[in-house]
Every structure is written in structure tokens, then in C-alpha cells.
Amino acid sequence: MDGVSVVRDGHVVEIVLDRAEALNALSTAMARRLAAVCREVGDDPSARAVVLSAAGEKAFCVGADLKERNGMTDAEIFAQRPVFRAAFGGVLGLPQPVIAAVHGYALGGGCEFALSADMIVADETAVFGLPEVGVGLVPGGGGTQLALRRLGPGRAADLVFTGRRVKIDEAVAYGLADRRVAAGTAREEALAIAGQIARNSPTAVRAAKRAMRLGGGVGLDAALDLEENAWRTAAGSPDRREGIAAFNEKRTPNWS
């Protein structure tokens, strides 16, 4: 439906970029659909982990649909901007842990979707890049800021200013891939990780993600206060009581 599909398996939600015939290039309709899906998933308390994957064999996502943009006026390009920001912001703002399962090309917006995830699982075919400056644009899906935070200033500048492509060996060395897997297995590995996350306390996991996301851009004292808030959120919840009881009773926790 408009290039995005959703697969649910228990507490794990898989959001699929599903426009393989266009290498999952992000169109306006696809961006609208993705933003709506992220709102629905983010508001679902039973969703505990999210996998962002892609259909087809050649690409995770090659970024914005430049064929669509080729016929747009300046006014239409600027009108498209909030739609795209909502799509990228939707992925970045999900309260559940997000694992990107990357294969093939992850270029421009595709690379930015991966950077928006909490973890990136990439297979041997993965190729990352932020080539926007080559078409007269700046990465606009969070690329400049997310690359800066994940890779550091020098490596972020390397990717953004040159627009070059990075294959899997360099992606691992740069920190663009957290887990490297065999070709064709990124989705399987990402779903396995999501399943492991989903077995943990959803209250604790969401609180931990919030502390980690907000703590990255502040000083240590403020960051530790964020951790304190996360700890108190979890410790004051029914999940803490259930988790400790289940441990002592040697059974699987039944999270509320």
C-alpha cells in the first residue's frame, strides 16, 4: 500500500519499504504512508521492537524518487518537504528499539533511514552513501546530524562532502553497520534481535532508549539524570516486580 507494508509477529513489528520496482525510492505517497505507519506503531503498547526492512534484492532504499522530483516546480519541492520530514521523523521518533535490516544500496534517504535506527544489521551486499551534494542538495532526512553523532565529525564530513559510496568492509570500520551478516540474511538477523528485545520488559526497554537518545547531546551530569529518570520509570513499574518474581520462580516473565 503506497510502497510500505507491515508484518506483525507477536510483539515484533516489521515495517517494509515495499517498492522494489523503483529500488524502494521514496515517493511522496510512500512518505505519507510511512509517517502514518510509524504513528500507529509508536502508539501501539503491544509493539515492543521494530524491524525496518526492504523488499527486492537490489536495494534497501536509494533515497528520494528523483524521477518524481524531475517534474516538480520549486514550490512543489518545498511543499513535499514536510511530508518527507514526517517520514524520517517517524522512524527516528519510534519509542521502540528499531533495527534496520540493510541489503544492497542504502543511499541518500536510504542511508538516513538506517542512521535513524538504533541498530544497523547489514549484509555483505550493503552499500551506504549520502550523495545529495552531487545533485545540488544537502542530506535532509537527518543525514548530516545522525552521521555526525554516529560516525564523528571527520567521517561524517567525508561521506557528506564527497557523496561517495561505502561498501561493507568500510561500513563496518566506520560504524555504519553494527552487525555484519552473510548476503541475504540481514532481515533474518534483525528479526532475531527484535525477538530477543521483545522478550524483555517493554517499560524498561523504552525507558532505556529514551535515556540513550536524549543523553547523547548533553553533558554527563545531565545525561546521568536522564538515566536516573529511566531507572525510576522502570523500578516503579509493575514490570520490575514481575521481572524479579519471575527470576526467583524460574519462569518466563508475563509483562503487563
Side-chain angles (χ1 to χ4, degrees), residues 137-187:
L137 286 167
V138 169
T144 62
Q145 302 308 305
L146 296 173
L148 179 67
R149 285 159 173 77
R150 177 178 266 268
L151 310 178
R155 288 175 171 176
D158 179 358
L159 294 187
V160 173
F161 297 162
T162 68
R164 69 185 182 89
R165 298 179 179 184
V166 174
K167 294 184 178 180
I168 188 63
D169 287 340
E170 196 172 6
V172 171
Y174 260 39
L176 269 170
D178 300 305
R179 294 201 190 184
R180 175 180 182 169
V181 296
T185 66
R187 176 179 176 270

Side-chain angles (χ1 to χ4, degrees), residues 14 51-54 56-57 60 99-104 120-126 168 178-194:
E14 182 182 8
V51 170
L52 181 64
S53 67
E57 298 180 356
F60 175 70
I99 303 100
V102 177
H103 72 279
I120 301 173
V121 176
D123 79 7
E124 299 283 346
T125 70
I168 188 63
D178 300 305
R179 294 201 190 184
R180 175 180 182 169
V181 296
T185 66
R187 176 179 176 270
E188 177 184 354
E189 178 71 8
L191 287 169
I193 295 169

Side-chain angles (χ1 to χ4, degrees), residues 10-26:
H11 295 292
V12 175
V13 177
E14 182 182 8
I15 301 174
V16 185
L17 305 177
D18 198 358
R19 199 178 173 226
E21 73 283 358
L23 301 182
N24 299 311
L26 188 66

Side-chain angles (χ1 to χ4, degrees), residues 15-242:
I15 301 174
V16 185
L17 305 177
D18 198 358
R19 199 178 173 226
E21 73 283 358
L23 301 182
N24 299 311
L26 188 66
S27 66
T28 305
M30 186 176 173
R32 284 199 183 95
R33 168 68 174 156
L34 182 57
V37 165
C38 288
R39 286 193 297 271
E40 292 169 6
V41 173
D43 290 340
D44 183 355
S46 68
R48 298 181 184 173
V50 177
V51 170
L52 181 64
S53 67
E57 298 180 356
K58 294 183 177 180
F60 175 70
C61 172
V62 294
D65 187 340
L66 297 185
K67 290 183 179 179
E68 179 187 50
R69 282 188 173 176
N70 190 46
M72 287 183 170
T73 64
D74 287 355
E76 289 170 333
I77 290 282
F78 279 94
Q80 185 194 57
R81 179 65 181 154
V83 179
F84 269 44
R85 285 202 69 179
F88 288 106
V91 175
L92 185 63
L94 282 166
Q96 304 93 340
V98 180
I99 303 100
V102 177
H103 72 279
Y105 296 111
L107 305 177
C111 186
E112 290 169 309
F113 279 134
L115 289 169
S116 297
D118 299 290
M119 293 180 62
I120 301 173
V121 176
D123 79 7
E124 299 283 346
T125 70
V127 178
F128 297 88
L130 294 167
E132 285 88 345
V133 294
V135 292
L137 286 167
V138 169
T144 62
Q145 302 308 305
L146 296 173
L148 179 67
R149 285 159 173 77
R150 177 178 266 268
L151 310 178
R155 288 175 171 176
D158 179 358
L159 294 187
V160 173
F161 297 162
T162 68
R164 69 185 182 89
R165 298 179 179 184
V166 174
K167 294 184 178 180
I168 188 63
D169 287 340
E170 196 172 6
V172 171
Y174 260 39
L176 269 170
D178 300 305
R179 294 201 190 184
R180 175 180 182 169
V181 296
T185 66
R187 176 179 176 270
E188 177 184 354
E189 178 71 8
L191 287 169
I193 295 169
Q196 185 177 6
I197 292 169
R199 289 191 288 274
N200 294 324
S201 159
T203 300
V205 169
R206 287 191 182 211
K209 172 170 178 171
R210 180 173 173 81
M212 293 170 72
R213 279 291 177 93
L214 295 179
V218 302
L220 180 58
D221 287 345
L224 290 174
D225 285 340
L226 289 168
E227 181 180 87
E228 178 71 11
N229 289 337
W231 182 89
R232 289 180 178 276
T233 296
S237 74
D239 279 7
R240 186 263 302 167
R241 293 183 288 276
E242 169 62 14

